[in-house]
Amino acid sequence: MDVLMLGRCSHEFSWPRRAADGHYYQVCLLCAVEYKYDWKTMRRIERVNRAEGEPSTTTRRSRSHAKKPTWVPRARRLKLETPVRYRVKNLGGWFDGIIENLSQSGVLFEGPQQLPDNTLVEMVFEMPEEISGQKNSSVLCQGRIIRAKEGRDTTESGTLAASILDYKFLHQSEI
């Protein structure tokens, strides 16, 4: 509330979303301002200014009966080598791994613990500034393992691909 009173927001952006018209946008989780987002450059382009009475992108729904494309291009990957902590959702201890790449749809990482497909996982890592708009932004990410490949050394380690279902920013007191 203090942020709104001062008229300045430090902006914590949501994961980029796709509007009904096919364009991407991000919403600040603190002040709800919307920005157009370009996945090719991984940057916010401009603030979305709504005319009075015009619906927000976040509430607009469209039921199109148009035929959906059968081929969808692969999401752009942001190559990283950043630490990640992961575990089966709400269970046990955390495992340390390394993120290889991150995209709008998911994360690819290596770790010491192999997990079966469709396992719900929790991951904690630093969201890149290109996506969050802030430096040193740790997030708790909910995901689902969609692919697993065994490591070379042992049957326990491996590379995991997880689709991102949701995430929230963690503040210093939560880390």
Side-chain angles (χ1 to χ4, degrees):
M1 193 62 156
D2 292 336
V3 171
L4 295 175
M5 296 305 232
L6 294 173
R8 294 178 46 112
C9 181
S10 60
H11 292 313
E12 289 183 4
F13 287 101
S14 69
W15 193 257
R17 301 172 185 181
R18 191 172 215 163
D21 64 4
H23 291 93
Y24 289 95
Y25 67 98
Q26 280 187 301
V27 178
C28 175
L29 300 171
L30 301 175
C31 69
V33 68
E34 296 178 20
Y35 281 83
K36 291 181 182 179
Y37 189 83
D38 180 11
W39 265 105
K40 289 178 184 168
T41 61
M42 297 192 99
R43 298 199 187 285
R44 277 172 294 288
I45 303 169
E46 62 185 6
R47 185 175 175 161
V48 177
N49 294 315
R50 302 258 172 242
E52 199 169 314
E54 184 180 351
S56 165
T57 310
T58 58
T59 59
R60 191 181 314 160
R61 297 281 186 237
S62 171
R63 292 189 181 237
S64 173
H65 296 290
K67 187 175 178 181
K68 302 256 184 205
T70 56
W71 177 81
V72 178
R74 189 171 177 180
R76 181 169 182 247
R77 272 34 179 184
L78 180 62
K79 292 200 179 284
L80 303 170
E81 274 195 33
T82 191
V84 61
R85 291 177 36 222
Y86 69 100
R87 69 177 180 181
V88 175
K89 186 172 176 158
N90 298 324
L91 290 180
W94 293 88
F95 301 100
D96 292 320
I98 300 290
I99 293 177
E100 290 183 14
N101 69 53
L102 181 69
S103 75
Q104 72 187 73
S105 57
V107 60
L108 181 69
F109 61 98
E110 290 185 14
Q113 182 62 45
Q114 191 72 276
L115 298 173
D117 289 358
N118 291 318
T119 302
L120 292 175
V121 293
E122 294 176 309
M123 299 168 280
V124 175
F125 58 92
E126 187 175 309
M127 183 68 73
E129 185 178 3
E130 295 91 338
I131 295 174
S132 68
Q134 292 187 1
K135 292 183 181 187
N136 306 319
S137 298
S138 291
V139 294
L140 172 62
C141 190
Q142 310 296 320
R144 180 182 308 275
I145 299 297
I146 56 170
R147 187 173 56 254
K149 182 178 165 187
E150 288 183 4
R152 294 177 212 154
D153 303 342
T154 67
T155 58
E156 298 245 339
S157 69
T159 302
L160 301 166
S163 63
I164 295 174
L165 304 174
D166 191 22
Y167 76 94
K168 72 173 188 168
F169 285 92
L170 295 175
H171 300 284
Q172 289 295 27
S173 60
E174 299 173 296
I175 298 176

